[in-house]
Amino acid sequence: MDGAIEEECRAISILEEPGTTCWGCGFHILVPSFTTVFKCGWCGAITNQNPRRHGIGHPRWKYVRDRCLVVVLLIFMLLVICGGVWAVYPVVFSISFSHGVIHCTVTTILSVSTIASFGFAAFRSPGAPPIIPWGGYPLVGKGWLENYSFCVYCSKPKPPRTHHCRSCGMCVLDMDHHCPFIGNCVGAANHRSFIIFLASAVISTIYACIMSIYAGYRVWPALALLSLHHVTKPGADSGLKVVKDVVVAFLNSAVLLSPRDIVLVYLFIASFSVEIGLSVLLWQQLRYIYKGKTYLSQLSSPEDDNIGDGGCRNLLRFFGCPYFASTFQTFFSRKNVMTSEAGNCKRRD
């Protein structure tokens, strides 16, 4: 080993005490005794001399729990789809055959997209880190392990923005979070499928709410008991009177509900409640993607909200549109330059 390599690999230290060995390249590095975390000057690996190894817990129990939640979610989606087919289709086809065909097409598209994206997110690998040589100088070049750390659970290098999931028992690249409802982590390989699943599920629940209200309006026996003459009288009192009459009529006719009406009530309540939760989660996910972060990176640095690193180009790049992302960035950079030049000209005038 020549002297130049030794100078780059040796950490500057005031205390001439026995050092430690870099896990990445195997070089001996002199560091103070009180230093617990240091970075190698040759390979760039980060070594933690006192890593915290939390208990693994019960991975088998977590696996069974996640799979049970996946089955429950699949059953719920099938109940919503089958219930909507059984309760809504006769009403829509009784109105018009063309309306029924349109409703059948939309339902098929939404159902297939939701279940397919859910399957990709749940049963696809979230993204394992790439295999990279490590452990000795002949195998590791200069800067090959830049900002890499060592996973004490997997006993292998861990790239930046990678976290170890104790539920899945593996390191996940660009890990966002572990979702028990899909029984899988959300990482670099299935994050896009997870976002598509959320968007498709939100659209599907909105459509289910609309169709359940429409079908209920056609077949609900309570609507025949309503008197809407209050609508012709403007004012807050008339609106409250209408709402009161609707609620009273619904409660009075609850005993007259047919099985189809009960399914419509279930379809509306279930779809509306799920829609609210999934909409909040989808907005949160898109907000993190806009910032160029993940949920875990946001937790580690909640105050580091650099607007310069965020933008719509992150959304375009995330959904596989690198050309539009670069075009978007070039357009706005030129626009900012033109704006600054126009401002300078006004100041000169």
Side-chain angles (χ1 to χ4, degrees), residues 30 41 66 93 139 158-159 188 233 242 263 288 298 302 314 319 345:
L30 298 177
D66 292 347
F93 273 99
L139 299 175
K158 185 170 64 174
K233 300 178 182 180
V242 171
V263 171
Y288 290 151
Q298 177 69 19
N314 291 332
F319 287 105
C345 293

Side-chain angles (χ1 to χ4, degrees), residues 134-151:
W134 65 282
Y137 164 69
L139 299 175
V140 181
K142 182 175 177 58
W144 282 16
L145 299 175
E146 186 68 25
N147 293 328
Y148 273 62
S149 58
F150 188 77
C151 180

Side-chain angles (χ1 to χ4, degrees), residues 84 108 116 119 163 198 214 304 331-332:
T108 303
H163 301 271
L198 292 179
Y214 178 75
D304 188 16
F331 172 76
F332 275 92

